[in-house]
């Protein structure tokens, strides 16, 4: 499944790999990878594999889930489709509370003690995902874990999720993506080590040198 999803993400341009012309993140970090999993929604065959994969994660890893909660905004559609497949309630968590109406941050019905799974599209350092989990916990939910489409597997992200007591299961990861990308000609075989070096320490730009 990891390599199949990797192939899908690469083929539709949801992931770009440019080790020789790195992207610049908002933090200023140079990155050889850019990921936009929203594009999976535009390709029915890929969308189906992604949503069925997320549903399988929930069924197998979090069988006691009573509701799904999407992250805003990229996780909302994925949470809605996956919830439909599983016949579960669904809601989502805003980036911040509304400044009008009831000032909600959590949209959708959420009972105290509800066992929920967060649906996320992408995990890098884990910060935004943890914020969503904390908002749900503050509202009285029991967060069983996270089901995500892709994770970089950065050590900082892994450490932060562990410290926050959050379990994440992803359909795809950087290791699988790099293997598929090299095998199918998206990158040179010698670029594999550079991409993984970035993953291991994004602040160290030595990976940019061949």
């Amino acid at each position: 499944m990891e390599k199949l999803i990797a192939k899908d993400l690469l083929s539709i341009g949801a992931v770009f790999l440019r080790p020789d012309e790195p992207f610049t993140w908002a933090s200023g970090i140079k990155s050889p990878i850019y990921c936009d999993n929203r594009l999976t929604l535009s390709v029915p065959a890929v969308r189906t594999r992604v949503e069925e994969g997320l549903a399988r994660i929930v069924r197998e890893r979090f069988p006691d889930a009573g509701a799904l909660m999407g992250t805003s905004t990229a996780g909302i559609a994925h949470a809605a489709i996956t919830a439909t497949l599983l016949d579960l309630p669904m809601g989502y968590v805003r980036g911040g509370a509304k400044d009008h109406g009831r000032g909600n941050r959590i949209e959708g019905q959420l009972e105290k003690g509800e066992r929920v799974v967060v649906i996320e599209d992408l995990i890098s350092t884990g910060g935004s995902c943890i914020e969503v989990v904390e908002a749900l916990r503050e509202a009285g939910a029991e967060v069983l874990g996270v089901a995500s489409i892709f994770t970089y597997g950065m050590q900082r992200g892994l450490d932060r999720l562990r410290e926050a007591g959050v379990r994440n299961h992803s359909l795809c990861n950087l290791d699988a993506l790099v293997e598929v990308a090299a095998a199918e000609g998206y990158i040179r075989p010698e670029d594999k080590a550079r991409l993984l070096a970035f993953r291991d320490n994004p602040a160290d730009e030595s990976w940019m040198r061949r």
Side-chain angles (χ1 to χ4, degrees):
M1 173 59 74
E2 291 175 348
K3 290 188 175 181
L4 179 59
I5 296 297
K7 185 174 182 178
D8 282 340
L9 297 178
L10 288 163
S11 68
I12 67 173
V15 171
F16 283 95
L17 298 174
R18 290 196 333 208
D20 292 329
E21 300 177 67
F23 301 94
T24 302
W25 287 0
S27 62
I29 289 176
K30 302 293 184 182
S31 169
I33 180 171
Y34 176 79
C35 188
D36 183 4
N37 290 325
R38 294 175 181 85
L39 292 176
T40 61
L41 297 168
S42 300
V43 185
V46 174
R47 183 180 66 221
T48 297
R49 276 190 288 275
V50 165
E51 312 310 345
E52 289 180 347
L54 291 171
R56 183 160 55 251
I57 288 175
V58 175
R59 279 195 300 265
E60 296 178 357
R61 303 289 187 171
F62 309 110
D64 296 330
L68 303 184
M69 285 285 166
T71 57
S72 179
T73 58
I76 296 175
H78 295 295
I81 298 170
T82 304
T84 298
L85 293 176
L86 295 170
D87 193 25
L88 287 175
M90 172 267 173
Y92 66 93
V93 182
R94 293 176 174 272
K98 290 193 297 188
D99 59 2
H100 59 281
R102 297 172 60 192
N104 292 344
R105 183 173 184 188
I106 298 172
E107 300 291 0
Q109 189 172 5
L110 179 67
E111 303 292 339
K112 289 191 181 298
E114 185 80 82
R115 294 177 175 178
V116 305
V117 173
V118 173
I119 302 296
E120 175 69 282
D121 75 317
L122 173 68
I123 293 182
S124 54
T125 60
S128 59
C129 181
I130 291 171
E131 287 182 9
V132 166
V133 170
E134 290 176 344
L136 290 166
R137 286 172 173 168
E138 288 173 6
E142 179 184 347
V143 180
L144 301 179
V146 179
S148 58
I149 298 173
F150 183 81
T151 179
Y152 289 101
M154 293 178 178
Q155 192 59 51
R156 183 184 179 195
L158 296 174
D159 291 343
R160 293 176 76 178
L161 290 170
R162 184 182 63 255
E163 291 165 4
V166 178
R167 284 196 298 149
N168 169 63
H169 294 281
S170 297
L171 291 176
C172 187
N173 54 59
L174 187 59
D175 294 81
L177 188 81
V178 165
E179 288 295 328
V180 172
E184 302 208 352
Y186 290 93
I187 58 173
R188 299 179 297 268
E190 58 268 27
D191 288 331
K192 292 164 59 177
R194 298 171 67 194
L195 286 157
L196 296 178
F198 162 79
R199 185 271 311 279
D200 292 340
N201 187 359
D204 181 356
E205 296 185 352
S206 62
W207 65 266
M208 295 174 64
R209 298 189 293 273
R210 292 191 188 180

